[in-house]
Amino acid sequence: MSRIAMVLAELVGVFIIALSIVYIYYKFVIFNFWRKRSVFYIEPVVPTGNITALITGKKQIGEYLYINIYARFHDRGLYYNEMIDPLSGHLFLMPGKKWRNMRVKMTPTFTSGKIKQMFSIVKESGEELAKYLENKAQMRDSVEMKDIFARYSTDVIMSTAFGIKSNSIEEPNNEYRMKGKKVVEANSFWIALFLFTPKIMDFFSIPTVDRHIASFYINMFRENVEYRQAHNIVRHDFMNLLIQLMERGYVDPDDGKKATTESSTVNKLTLTEATAQSFIFFTAGFETSSTTATFTLYELAQHHDIQDKVQQEIDEILTKHGGLTYDAINEMTYLHKVTMRKYPPLPVLNRICTKEIDLPTTNIRVPKGTLITIPDRRAFGIYLFYKPTLVIADFDLIRVVLTKEYASSHNRGMYYNEKIDPLWRNLRAKMTPTFTLGKIKQTFPIVKECSEGLEKYLESKAQMRDTVEMKDIFARVMSYMRIMRLIDAMRNGIASLNCPLKDVRLSCLMTTFLARASLIASQPLHPLYSPLHTFLMAKTALDLNTKPELLQLLHSSHVEHNAHRHWILQNIRDGMKEENDVNVALKCVLFKILLDFHTCALSDTKTK
């Protein structure tokens, strides 16, 4: 019995020693990779560790890797195995020499001339989308734009890549749309393996694409190729270019002349290779395109000034070209700039170092096989929605812009809609008399009264030797002044009615607005503080026969637009008490405005 115990004790001892050796090896050798290279890193934990990847946010390094020495960083380090996963044999995943050979074959298929030939297909699908949206607008139906754009991009890419009219806009649940959804529906666990541990997937022979989906796309592509070859059908699309690569190993040049390159068996694409290129054309295109278009529409809805400028550019160029053409779209430079600035489809770019290098501006030597991750800084809030901006730091130039050239630079580039807001020049002409020296002098008693109150308060604090938070004190003084300004504007509004004070009766709509606005005047962090402050400073007299700030808050383009909209709607709901309120509502066309907005796509559930 004691002998068995000794053996067990020895085994336990050996196990502990072996475990300790493994721990020390991983802790101070394997997991010491970046420390030896003086690179900041997250301390790995034994036994899981972390990913041996270099993440750089420097623009100069990214440009150096992708331009100067791209030949050493063309591999993405993602999972690729065309034997068990035939649809993974495409440009995006292929490594090394295979990638170079495929790139040489595929590059001629993406020239501007070839893309121009496909434009008629895109235009046809665009016209179908326009008709669909027109019908929805006439019926006042709400539309889920992300889904609509996904169906539209599915139609476009299925037509160009597979030569099939999928008609997903009219039939959202057809087979092609359902298969497309399944392609992008992936488990996060498999995505992590695909991105960071491709060797595990290769070891267990795990395909990235479901076998049923792979069979569907391979059979569909084969059937279309055989049909076109049997009936001698030539269509200017991506599939026709792939057929040329399968039959001859090269594509016809853009000038329409026949290429003189002799056929070569080595350079020809196999059916499986062609299907894989068509498949990545579809998967990389339809989801990214729909996402980009959706975010673009969202931002344009938030920035009406940019929306108006984009619309103006489109109208002018379409008039110039007599309609929508490939050349017309290429001339829409401002439209191109506002499309992919803030929400890039891929937040990071991965590359594998295929040859040891020294990174410029650093002391880091990157060994062969290291994964380098370059985050797209736009995806982390560094880039805002595109608006070309010139930053001036020269004081003499600033003086010229704000004095001599002010007539050419008075526009601040913020939201403006002349249908809702008055023009700047007209408004300035009206508002300038309210800021004359005489008018400011009339408000001086209010300022003086507030200052005397502040002085007494500070004297009492000084006598008690209490500390004072001056920013808070000044904020309270300004809040008091705004309330006094509100009362003064209301008094002037009553005076403008030209009737005895005893006959004046304010509507509940107005009193509800005034009471709640006065509460917000003392809350600088409130979402309504800024617009109400602007309103109070601009109004010397209130129009008591309307609903203040109705259109401005209801159609707000501010980031807190929902808070603005809900606040004014709650004011209307709580202030509609008497017949006088109904008369005021009728006079300012309140009911029509609300009913129109109720059917608008901007009206969310809470608003309705």
Side-chain angles (χ1 to χ4, degrees), residues 200-324:
I200 293 178
M201 295 190 71
D202 195 27
F203 180 79
F204 290 102
S205 299
I206 303 173
T208 55
V209 181
D210 183 88
R211 299 189 188 278
H212 296 291
I213 295 176
S215 298
F216 173 79
Y217 283 104
I218 291 173
N219 291 334
M220 179 173 59
F221 188 85
R222 180 189 295 110
E223 291 170 2
N224 277 276
V225 170
E226 292 174 351
Y227 182 82
R228 288 193 183 193
Q229 290 174 335
H231 296 81
N232 197 26
I233 295 174
V234 176
R235 190 168 179 254
H236 293 301
D237 56 13
F238 185 63
M239 187 173 190
N240 182 62
L241 300 176
L242 292 175
I243 292 175
Q244 291 180 23
L245 289 173
M246 291 169 58
E247 293 177 343
R248 304 188 302 236
Y250 60 89
V251 298
D252 292 332
D254 293 340
D255 56 13
K257 297 178 181 178
K258 293 293 183 181
T260 57
T261 306
E262 294 183 2
S263 178
S264 171
T265 305
V266 176
N267 291 327
K268 289 181 181 179
L269 286 185
T270 65
L271 178 68
T272 303
E273 288 175 334
T275 307
Q277 311 317 311
S278 186
F279 177 73
I280 191 59
F281 189 80
F282 172 73
T283 54
F286 94 91
E287 181 64 23
T288 53
S289 300
S290 60
T291 301
T292 300
T294 303
F295 277 127
T296 299
L297 283 193
Y298 171 76
E299 290 293 341
L300 288 176
Q302 297 292 313
H303 301 80
H304 292 195
D305 55 333
I306 299 178
Q307 180 185 143
D308 293 340
K309 189 170 181 179
V310 170
Q311 183 65 57
Q312 181 182 356
E313 180 188 61
I314 292 173
D315 292 340
E316 290 175 354
I317 292 178
L318 290 183
T319 302
K320 174 183 174 182
H321 288 266
L324 185 63

Side-chain angles (χ1 to χ4, degrees), residues 126 137 244 299 313 401 465 474 528 594:
Q244 291 180 23
E299 290 293 341
E313 180 188 61
V401 170
R465 294 187 176 276
F474 283 126
L528 272 296
L594 295 181

Side-chain angles (χ1 to χ4, degrees), residues 275-442:
T275 307
Q277 311 317 311
S278 186
F279 177 73
I280 191 59
F281 189 80
F282 172 73
T283 54
F286 94 91
E287 181 64 23
T288 53
S289 300
S290 60
T291 301
T292 300
T294 303
F295 277 127
T296 299
L297 283 193
Y298 171 76
E299 290 293 341
L300 288 176
Q302 297 292 313
H303 301 80
H304 292 195
D305 55 333
I306 299 178
Q307 180 185 143
D308 293 340
K309 189 170 181 179
V310 170
Q311 183 65 57
Q312 181 182 356
E313 180 188 61
I314 292 173
D315 292 340
E316 290 175 354
I317 292 178
L318 290 183
T319 302
K320 174 183 174 182
H321 288 266
L324 185 63
T325 64
Y326 178 80
D327 293 329
I329 289 181
N330 282 336
E331 282 190 32
M332 297 176 187
T333 54
Y334 193 75
L335 175 63
H336 296 165
K337 291 174 182 176
V338 304
T339 305
M340 293 182 66
R341 297 289 298 190
K342 191 174 179 181
Y343 304 99
L346 290 177
V348 295
L349 300 172
N350 287 347
R351 286 295 185 272
I352 291 289
C353 179
T354 58
K355 188 175 181 181
E356 192 173 74
I357 63 157
D358 293 316
L359 288 183
T361 71
T362 71
N363 295 320
I364 302 173
R365 187 166 186 80
V366 182
K368 180 180 178 181
T370 303
L371 173 65
I372 293 187
T373 298
I374 304 174
D376 191 324
R377 294 183 295 172
R378 297 172 296 182
F380 299 96
I382 296 177
Y383 281 51
L384 295 177
F385 196 57
Y386 181 80
K387 186 177 287 188
T389 304
L390 174 65
V391 180
I392 301 175
D394 188 304
F395 288 106
D396 293 332
L397 184 56
I398 292 172
R399 189 180 299 111
V400 171
V401 170
L402 296 181
T403 54
K404 295 180 181 180
E405 299 296 333
Y406 186 71
S408 304
S409 56
H410 56 76
N411 190 341
R412 288 178 171 83
M414 299 179 182
Y415 168 66
Y416 147 75
N417 189 327
E418 60 183 287
K419 296 178 181 178
I420 299 175
D421 300 330
L423 295 175
W424 175 83
R425 294 184 187 278
N426 295 337
L427 182 61
R428 185 173 184 267
K430 295 176 183 178
M431 294 303 302
T432 298
T434 67
F435 293 100
T436 61
L437 187 60
K439 293 295 189 295
I440 296 174
K441 188 176 181 180
Q442 292 175 1

Side-chain angles (χ1 to χ4, degrees), residues 422-530:
L423 295 175
W424 175 83
R425 294 184 187 278
N426 295 337
L427 182 61
R428 185 173 184 267
K430 295 176 183 178
M431 294 303 302
T432 298
T434 67
F435 293 100
T436 61
L437 187 60
K439 293 295 189 295
I440 296 174
K441 188 176 181 180
Q442 292 175 1
T443 62
F444 184 73
I446 300 175
V447 179
K448 184 180 179 183
E449 181 183 348
C450 294
S451 300
E452 291 171 349
L454 172 62
E455 183 182 6
K456 291 179 182 179
Y457 178 82
L458 292 178
E459 283 180 357
S460 64
K461 286 291 183 180
Q463 291 172 1
M464 298 172 64
R465 294 187 176 276
D466 287 347
T467 58
V468 177
E469 176 55 55
M470 293 308 299
K471 188 173 187 304
D472 176 64
I473 291 295
F474 283 126
R476 286 150 61 185
V477 171
M478 294 303 296
S479 298
Y480 179 74
M481 290 178 63
R482 289 187 185 95
I483 293 173
M484 294 300 295
R485 175 78 177 180
L486 177 62
I487 295 172
D488 195 46
M490 183 175 65
R491 184 176 65 243
N492 293 337
I494 292 173
S496 67
L497 295 177
N498 296 322
C499 63
L501 187 61
K502 62 183 180 65
D503 296 331
V504 174
R505 180 175 176 80
L506 298 181
S507 66
C508 290
L509 283 174
M510 176 59 73
T511 55
T512 303
F513 176 86
L514 294 175
R516 295 181 178 179
S518 63
L519 293 175
I520 292 173
S522 61
Q523 304 177 52
L525 298 180
H526 195 283
L528 272 296
Y529 181 85
S530 178

